[in-house]
Amino acid sequence: MVVRDADRPEAGVIRLRVPLGERSYDVLVGAGARDELAGLLPPTARRAAVVTQEPVGVKIDTGREQAVFLVPDGEEAKSLSVVEDLCRRFAGFGLTRDDVVVGVGGGVVTDLAGFAASVYLRGVAVAHVATTLLAQVDAAIGGKTGVNLPEGKNLVGTFWQPVAVICDTESLASLPPRQLASGRGEMAKYEFLGVSGLGSLPIEEAVAACVACKVAVVGADERETSGRRALLNYGHTLAHALETAGCYDILHGEAVAVGLVFAARLARRLELIDDARVRLHEQVVSGFDLGYSLPPGSSAKELITIMGRDKKAVAGLTFVLDGPHGLCLTPGVDPNVVGQVLAEMGAR
Ligand SMILES: NC(=O)c1ccc[n+]([C@@H]2O[C@H](COP(=O)([O-])OP(=O)(O)OC[C@H]3O[C@@H](n4cnc5c(N)ncnc54)[C@H](O)[C@@H]3O)[C@@H](O)[C@H]2O)c1
C-alpha cells in the first residue's frame, strides 16, 4: 500500500512497508527522504559502515560513529575480491554484530554492501540509500544480494533483507542521462507486471508505484520458491547474457529493454501472444526513450550458451514469457527457436 508519510506530509515522503514478519521494513520515497535515515537504523547500532562510490556524492547522516568505505565503480566491482576487501575494512573499523552497514549508491553498491553485510560476522544489519533510478525502482528492494563470476552475472549471492531503504528522488538530479535511461529500462518492465502509465506520473509517484509492485511480489514470494518472484526477471534472461557477453559495455536497464522486446518476439514465435502484443512491448520500450536492437556483432550461439547458465535455467533454456494468462515462467524452450528470434533481431 502506498501511503503518504503521516509524520512528514510536508516533505511529500511516501512510506511503503515490505511485509515480511519480523523482518518487515519500510521503504521511504521522495525528495529529502534521506533525512529520515538515522531514525530507521537499529537503535543498538553504535557504528555505521557507509559503503559508497566516488561518483555518488550523496551525503548522509547516520547519527552514529560513521566511516566511509569507497568501492570501485562499475559492474566489475561486484566481485568476491571486493567483498573480501570490504569485510577486512569493516573488521579494521571494529564493526560488530550490533552495528550497521549502509549502502549509498546504485545497484552495484546495494548488491555489494548487502552481500558483504550478509556474510560479515555471519550477518549484520544493512540499510540502503538508493541513489540511481534503477536501484530505487528495483535493486535496493527485496533483499537479493550478489556478485558476479567470470562465468556469469550474480552467480554468487544471498537473500539478506535490509532494515530500511531510502529512495531520495533528489539524488537523481546528479545522475548521468545514460544512467537515468537505464533506470527507465527497469521501469518499462513494470508496465508488464500491472503498473501502467508510469511515464506520465511525477517521479516520486512513479518510483513509489514500482516499489509497491516489487514489495507485493517480494511479500508473497520472498525466496523465489513459488515462481512469482521470478516474474520480476521479465526480460532479464537475455539482458544478463548481453551484459556478460558484452563485458558490461551495455548498461543493465538498456539490456532489459532489449530483453523485453526479445521475450515478446519469442512468445510470439511460440504462439503465446499476437503481433499487437509484440508491438505494445516495442511501443512501451520506445516510450521510455530506449532502443531494442541487439548490440552489433552479438553472437546467437554465445548468448544461448550464457542463457543456459542463468539461475532460472533448471530444465533447458528458461524464460519469463508473456501469454494468454499473463507472465509465466517457461522452462524447456527450444534453443533453435531462441536462435531464430535472435537472428531475426540481427544476431550472427
Ligand atoms: N538485487 C537486485 O534485486 C537487483 C535488481 C536489479 C538490478 N540489480 C543490479 O544493479 C546493478 C545496476 O545498478 P545501477 O544501474 O544502479 O548501476 P550502478 O550501481 O553501476 O550505478 C551507475 C553509476 O552511477 C553512479 N551514481 C550512483 N548514484 C549517483 C548519483 N546520485 N549521482 C551521480 N552518479 C551516481 C555510480 O557510481 C555508477 O557510476 C547491476 O549490477 C544489477 O545486477 C540488482
Side-chain angles (χ1 to χ4, degrees), residues 12 52 76 88 106 109 111 129 152 173 176 189 194 214 221 286-287 292 296 302 312 314 346:
T52 189
E76 291 76 11
R88 292 184 62 183
V109 166
D111 275 5
V129 179
K189 169 190 82 177
K214 181 151 188 183
D221 182 21
S286 305
Y292 48 82
E302 183 186 14
K312 294 184 293 305
V314 281

PDB file of all heavy atoms in Angstrom, residues 12 52 76 88 106 109 111 129 152 173 176 189 194 214 221 286-287 292 296 302 312 314 346:
ATOM      1  N   GLY A  12       6.399  15.356   1.531  1.00  0.00           N
ATOM      2  CA  GLY A  12       5.926  14.545   0.419  1.00  0.00           C
ATOM      3  C   GLY A  12       6.560  13.178   0.377  1.00  0.00           C
ATOM      4  O   GLY A  12       6.640  12.559  -0.678  1.00  0.00           O
ATOM      5  N   THR A  52      30.097   3.190  -0.387  1.00  0.00           N
ATOM      6  CA  THR A  52      29.653   4.021  -1.496  1.00  0.00           C
ATOM      7  C   THR A  52      30.752   4.095  -2.558  1.00  0.00           C
ATOM      8  O   THR A  52      31.774   3.411  -2.441  1.00  0.00           O
ATOM      9  CB  THR A  52      29.231   5.427  -0.977  1.00  0.00           C
ATOM     10  OG1 THR A  52      28.602   6.148  -2.030  1.00  0.00           O
ATOM     11  CG2 THR A  52      30.393   6.225  -0.428  1.00  0.00           C
ATOM     12  N   GLU A  76      32.281  -4.476 -12.648  1.00  0.00           N
ATOM     13  CA  GLU A  76      33.435  -5.299 -12.252  1.00  0.00           C
ATOM     14  C   GLU A  76      33.650  -5.251 -10.734  1.00  0.00           C
ATOM     15  O   GLU A  76      34.291  -6.132 -10.168  1.00  0.00           O
ATOM     16  CB  GLU A  76      34.721  -4.837 -12.966  1.00  0.00           C
ATOM     17  CG  GLU A  76      34.750  -5.103 -14.470  1.00  0.00           C
ATOM     18  CD  GLU A  76      33.881  -4.132 -15.267  1.00  0.00           C
ATOM     19  OE1 GLU A  76      33.419  -3.112 -14.695  1.00  0.00           O
ATOM     20  OE2 GLU A  76      33.635  -4.418 -16.465  1.00  0.00           O
ATOM     21  N   ARG A  88      37.333  -6.898   5.323  1.00  0.00           N
ATOM     22  CA  ARG A  88      38.553  -6.619   6.091  1.00  0.00           C
ATOM     23  C   ARG A  88      38.530  -5.192   6.625  1.00  0.00           C
ATOM     24  O   ARG A  88      38.944  -4.925   7.758  1.00  0.00           O
ATOM     25  CB  ARG A  88      39.787  -6.864   5.220  1.00  0.00           C
ATOM     26  CG  ARG A  88      39.964  -8.355   4.903  1.00  0.00           C
ATOM     27  CD  ARG A  88      41.210  -8.616   4.139  1.00  0.00           C
ATOM     28  NE  ARG A  88      42.402  -8.232   4.892  1.00  0.00           N
ATOM     29  CZ  ARG A  88      43.629  -8.303   4.416  1.00  0.00           C
ATOM     30  NH1 ARG A  88      43.847  -8.744   3.190  1.00  0.00           N
ATOM     31  NH2 ARG A  88      44.646  -7.954   5.151  1.00  0.00           N
ATOM     32  N   GLY A 106      24.055   3.071  -6.361  1.00  0.00           N
ATOM     33  CA  GLY A 106      23.190   2.343  -7.278  1.00  0.00           C
ATOM     34  C   GLY A 106      23.178   0.864  -6.944  1.00  0.00           C
ATOM     35  O   GLY A 106      23.608   0.430  -5.860  1.00  0.00           O
ATOM     36  N   VAL A 109      26.405  -0.891  -5.686  1.00  0.00           N
ATOM     37  CA  VAL A 109      26.714  -0.682  -4.265  1.00  0.00           C
ATOM     38  C   VAL A 109      25.748  -1.472  -3.383  1.00  0.00           C
ATOM     39  O   VAL A 109      26.172  -2.129  -2.428  1.00  0.00           O
ATOM     40  CB  VAL A 109      26.671   0.826  -3.916  1.00  0.00           C
ATOM     41  CG1 VAL A 109      26.644   1.032  -2.410  1.00  0.00           C
ATOM     42  CG2 VAL A 109      27.862   1.540  -4.536  1.00  0.00           C
ATOM     43  N   ASP A 111      23.983  -4.162  -4.068  1.00  0.00           N
ATOM     44  CA  ASP A 111      24.247  -5.614  -4.171  1.00  0.00           C
ATOM     45  C   ASP A 111      25.502  -5.990  -3.374  1.00  0.00           C
ATOM     46  O   ASP A 111      25.541  -7.010  -2.686  1.00  0.00           O
ATOM     47  CB  ASP A 111      24.446  -6.027  -5.638  1.00  0.00           C
ATOM     48  CG  ASP A 111      23.114  -6.315  -6.352  1.00  0.00           C
ATOM     49  OD1 ASP A 111      22.049  -6.099  -5.758  1.00  0.00           O
ATOM     50  OD2 ASP A 111      23.159  -6.760  -7.523  1.00  0.00           O
ATOM     51  N   VAL A 129      20.559   3.323   0.858  1.00  0.00           N
ATOM     52  CA  VAL A 129      20.149   4.624   0.344  1.00  0.00           C
ATOM     53  C   VAL A 129      20.382   4.538  -1.159  1.00  0.00           C
ATOM     54  O   VAL A 129      21.525   4.612  -1.628  1.00  0.00           O
ATOM     55  CB  VAL A 129      20.965   5.768   0.981  1.00  0.00           C
ATOM     56  CG1 VAL A 129      20.535   7.118   0.402  1.00  0.00           C
ATOM     57  CG2 VAL A 129      20.803   5.755   2.494  1.00  0.00           C
ATOM     58  N   GLY A 152      29.409 -15.629 -15.258  1.00  0.00           N
ATOM     59  CA  GLY A 152      28.083 -15.029 -15.384  1.00  0.00           C
ATOM     60  C   GLY A 152      27.761 -14.082 -14.250  1.00  0.00           C
ATOM     61  O   GLY A 152      28.463 -14.016 -13.238  1.00  0.00           O
ATOM     62  N   ALA A 173      19.129  13.976  -9.380  1.00  0.00           N
ATOM     63  CA  ALA A 173      19.482  15.182 -10.140  1.00  0.00           C
ATOM     64  C   ALA A 173      20.901  15.099 -10.701  1.00  0.00           C
ATOM     65  O   ALA A 173      21.188  15.658 -11.758  1.00  0.00           O
ATOM     66  CB  ALA A 173      19.323  16.414  -9.257  1.00  0.00           C
ATOM     67  N   PRO A 176      24.008  10.806 -14.394  1.00  0.00           N
ATOM     68  CA  PRO A 176      24.229  10.995 -15.832  1.00  0.00           C
ATOM     69  C   PRO A 176      23.015  10.510 -16.636  1.00  0.00           C
ATOM     70  O   PRO A 176      22.379   9.512 -16.266  1.00  0.00           O
ATOM     71  CB  PRO A 176      25.459  10.130 -16.126  1.00  0.00           C
ATOM     72  CG  PRO A 176      26.129   9.923 -14.807  1.00  0.00           C
ATOM     73  CD  PRO A 176      25.045   9.955 -13.774  1.00  0.00           C
ATOM     74  N   LYS A 189       9.803  -2.621 -17.504  1.00  0.00           N
ATOM     75  CA  LYS A 189       9.415  -3.981 -17.098  1.00  0.00           C
ATOM     76  C   LYS A 189       8.117  -3.979 -16.290  1.00  0.00           C
ATOM     77  O   LYS A 189       7.257  -4.840 -16.463  1.00  0.00           O
ATOM     78  CB  LYS A 189      10.562  -4.573 -16.266  1.00  0.00           C
ATOM     79  CG  LYS A 189      10.246  -5.850 -15.554  1.00  0.00           C
ATOM     80  CD  LYS A 189      11.333  -6.222 -14.572  1.00  0.00           C
ATOM     81  CE  LYS A 189      11.199  -5.497 -13.251  1.00  0.00           C
ATOM     82  NZ  LYS A 189      12.209  -5.886 -12.256  1.00  0.00           N
ATOM     83  N   GLY A 194       1.743  -5.070 -14.434  1.00  0.00           N
ATOM     84  CA  GLY A 194       0.485  -4.499 -13.961  1.00  0.00           C
ATOM     85  C   GLY A 194       0.549  -3.055 -13.507  1.00  0.00           C
ATOM     86  O   GLY A 194      -0.412  -2.549 -12.937  1.00  0.00           O
ATOM     87  N   LYS A 214       6.976  -4.188  -6.544  1.00  0.00           N
ATOM     88  CA  LYS A 214       8.028  -5.125  -6.119  1.00  0.00           C
ATOM     89  C   LYS A 214       7.762  -5.618  -4.698  1.00  0.00           C
ATOM     90  O   LYS A 214       7.929  -6.802  -4.392  1.00  0.00           O
ATOM     91  CB  LYS A 214       9.411  -4.477  -6.220  1.00  0.00           C
ATOM     92  CG  LYS A 214      10.506  -5.454  -5.807  1.00  0.00           C
ATOM     93  CD  LYS A 214      11.837  -5.249  -6.455  1.00  0.00           C
ATOM     94  CE  LYS A 214      12.771  -6.408  -6.108  1.00  0.00           C
ATOM     95  NZ  LYS A 214      14.105  -6.269  -6.637  1.00  0.00           N
ATOM     96  N   ASP A 221       6.486 -13.909  -2.126  1.00  0.00           N
ATOM     97  CA  ASP A 221       7.427 -14.970  -2.529  1.00  0.00           C
ATOM     98  C   ASP A 221       8.856 -14.488  -2.299  1.00  0.00           C
ATOM     99  O   ASP A 221       9.613 -14.267  -3.238  1.00  0.00           O
ATOM    100  CB  ASP A 221       7.212 -15.306  -4.021  1.00  0.00           C
ATOM    101  CG  ASP A 221       8.121 -16.434  -4.507  1.00  0.00           C
ATOM    102  OD1 ASP A 221       8.608 -17.216  -3.657  1.00  0.00           O
ATOM    103  OD2 ASP A 221       8.340 -16.525  -5.718  1.00  0.00           O
ATOM    104  N   SER A 286      10.063   2.006 -26.491  1.00  0.00           N
ATOM    105  CA  SER A 286      10.357   3.265 -27.199  1.00  0.00           C
ATOM    106  C   SER A 286       9.831   4.459 -26.409  1.00  0.00           C
ATOM    107  O   SER A 286      10.464   5.513 -26.372  1.00  0.00           O
ATOM    108  CB  SER A 286       9.706   3.298 -28.581  1.00  0.00           C
ATOM    109  OG  SER A 286      10.093   2.187 -29.323  1.00  0.00           O
ATOM    110  N   GLY A 287       8.666   4.272 -25.769  1.00  0.00           N
ATOM    111  CA  GLY A 287       8.063   5.362 -24.984  1.00  0.00           C
ATOM    112  C   GLY A 287       8.940   5.783 -23.815  1.00  0.00           C
ATOM    113  O   GLY A 287       8.852   6.912 -23.339  1.00  0.00           O
ATOM    114  N   TYR A 292      15.799  -1.112 -28.783  1.00  0.00           N
ATOM    115  CA  TYR A 292      15.721  -2.559 -28.515  1.00  0.00           C
ATOM    116  C   TYR A 292      16.483  -3.376 -29.543  1.00  0.00           C
ATOM    117  O   TYR A 292      16.192  -4.545 -29.771  1.00  0.00           O
ATOM    118  CB  TYR A 292      14.267  -3.029 -28.363  1.00  0.00           C
ATOM    119  CG  TYR A 292      13.299  -2.556 -29.433  1.00  0.00           C
ATOM    120  CD1 TYR A 292      13.208  -3.219 -30.650  1.00  0.00           C
ATOM    121  CD2 TYR A 292      12.481  -1.460 -29.208  1.00  0.00           C
ATOM    122  CE1 TYR A 292      12.319  -2.793 -31.622  1.00  0.00           C
ATOM    123  CE2 TYR A 292      11.583  -1.029 -30.168  1.00  0.00           C
ATOM    124  CZ  TYR A 292      11.501  -1.701 -31.387  1.00  0.00           C
ATOM    125  OH  TYR A 292      10.627  -1.287 -32.339  1.00  0.00           O
ATOM    126  N   PRO A 296      25.699  -4.503 -31.876  1.00  0.00           N
ATOM    127  CA  PRO A 296      26.287  -5.015 -33.111  1.00  0.00           C
ATOM    128  C   PRO A 296      27.247  -6.167 -32.814  1.00  0.00           C
ATOM    129  O   PRO A 296      27.963  -6.141 -31.817  1.00  0.00           O
ATOM    130  CB  PRO A 296      27.067  -3.809 -33.674  1.00  0.00           C
ATOM    131  CG  PRO A 296      26.569  -2.618 -32.927  1.00  0.00           C
ATOM    132  CD  PRO A 296      25.970  -3.084 -31.646  1.00  0.00           C
ATOM    133  N   GLU A 302      26.765 -17.702 -28.594  1.00  0.00           N
ATOM    134  CA  GLU A 302      27.320 -17.287 -27.295  1.00  0.00           C
ATOM    135  C   GLU A 302      26.190 -16.904 -26.320  1.00  0.00           C
ATOM    136  O   GLU A 302      26.208 -17.313 -25.150  1.00  0.00           O
ATOM    137  CB  GLU A 302      28.260 -16.088 -27.506  1.00  0.00           C
ATOM    138  CG  GLU A 302      28.938 -15.650 -26.224  1.00  0.00           C
ATOM    139  CD  GLU A 302      29.760 -14.368 -26.387  1.00  0.00           C
ATOM    140  OE1 GLU A 302      29.608 -13.665 -27.411  1.00  0.00           O
ATOM    141  OE2 GLU A 302      30.539 -14.072 -25.458  1.00  0.00           O
ATOM    142  N   LYS A 312      17.718 -19.209 -13.373  1.00  0.00           N
ATOM    143  CA  LYS A 312      16.375 -19.797 -13.526  1.00  0.00           C
ATOM    144  C   LYS A 312      16.409 -21.081 -14.349  1.00  0.00           C
ATOM    145  O   LYS A 312      15.440 -21.815 -14.394  1.00  0.00           O
ATOM    146  CB  LYS A 312      15.439 -18.811 -14.264  1.00  0.00           C
ATOM    147  CG  LYS A 312      15.144 -17.547 -13.513  1.00  0.00           C
ATOM    148  CD  LYS A 312      14.138 -16.673 -14.250  1.00  0.00           C
ATOM    149  CE  LYS A 312      14.645 -16.104 -15.561  1.00  0.00           C
ATOM    150  NZ  LYS A 312      15.877 -15.338 -15.522  1.00  0.00           N
ATOM    151  N   VAL A 314      16.630 -24.408 -15.037  1.00  0.00           N
ATOM    152  CA  VAL A 314      16.685 -25.717 -14.393  1.00  0.00           C
ATOM    153  C   VAL A 314      16.431 -26.834 -15.399  1.00  0.00           C
ATOM    154  O   VAL A 314      16.955 -27.927 -15.275  1.00  0.00           O
ATOM    155  CB  VAL A 314      15.697 -25.826 -13.203  1.00  0.00           C
ATOM    156  CG1 VAL A 314      16.251 -25.146 -11.968  1.00  0.00           C
ATOM    157  CG2 VAL A 314      14.339 -25.242 -13.550  1.00  0.00           C
ATOM    158  N   GLY A 346      18.981  -9.628 -35.522  1.00  0.00           N
ATOM    159  CA  GLY A 346      20.274  -9.162 -36.044  1.00  0.00           C
ATOM    160  C   GLY A 346      21.492  -9.896 -35.519  1.00  0.00           C
ATOM    161  O   GLY A 346      22.628  -9.523 -35.852  1.00  0.00           O
TER     162      GLY A 346
END
